[in-house]
Amino acid sequence: MTDQRAHQREGVTGCRIIELPRHADPRGNLTFIEGGQTIPFDIQRIYYLYDVPGGEFRGGHAHKELQQLFIAASGSFDVVVDNGTERERFRLNRSYYGLYVPSMIWRELDDFSSGSVCLVLASTHYDAEDYFYDYDEFKAAVT
């Protein structure tokens, strides 16, 4: 890991805000992400959520192995994370901040602003067997 991730705010759940490198320019800013350098995993998959109606809820699951970085590429939304004993809410509203979510953390997304885009970088390819969709099953696995 490099000095580029020096500005971080870690939460009680082990999730943390990572400030991504920014290059300011009057013509528009540039942010880059390098797997294993600016974030703590190699990127194997990228997906994004968009056109989410205001007030909608997304997520409601955990992953056994997958690590993720959530970024508000546009607009804003909240990520609620839960490690089985503690919950906390992170507000994402800047495209140069990402929320790192390690494996075995329950996550829920809500309070999407109009036109928001949630960009997600993932450490593994999709695997249906990696999911916990039942909170009680997840909680039993972490305690």
Side-chain angles (χ1 to χ4, degrees), residues 20 33-35 38-39 41-47 66-71 99 101 119-124:
L20 302 167
I33 302 167
E34 296 177 327
T38 52
I39 61 173
F41 59 84
D42 288 326
I43 302 162
Q44 296 297 313
R45 180 168 48 115
I46 299 170
Y47 64 94
L66 180 77
Q67 303 170 66
Q68 294 178 306
L69 186 79
F70 291 86
I71 301 168
L99 176 64
V101 178
L119 177 66
V120 185
L121 310 179
S123 66
T124 65

Side-chain angles (χ1 to χ4, degrees), residues 49 51-62 77-81 87 89 106-113 133 135:
L49 303 169
D51 293 339
V52 178
E56 277 301 315
F57 163 89
R58 297 295 309 244
H61 60 268
F77 56 89
D78 289 355
V79 182
V80 179
V81 291
R87 289 175 68 88
R89 179 178 294 268
W106 188 267
R107 79 276 325 272
E108 300 168 356
L109 289 80
D110 66 11
D111 200 19
F112 286 85
S113 67
Y133 286 110
Y135 182 76

Side-chain angles (χ1 to χ4, degrees), residues 88-137:
E88 66 186 318
R89 179 178 294 268
F90 290 87
R91 180 82 174 156
L92 295 178
N93 60 6
R94 297 284 185 260
S95 57
Y96 51 87
Y97 287 126
L99 176 64
Y100 170 68
V101 178
S103 60
M104 297 303 288
I105 296 290
W106 188 267
R107 79 276 325 272
E108 300 168 356
L109 289 80
D110 66 11
D111 200 19
F112 286 85
S113 67
S114 177
S116 62
V117 176
C118 171
L119 177 66
V120 185
L121 310 179
S123 66
T124 65
H125 295 279
Y126 174 77
D127 179 2
E129 298 298 314
D130 188 54
Y131 284 77
F132 285 105
Y133 286 110
D134 181 87
Y135 182 76
D136 291 331
E137 182 183 332

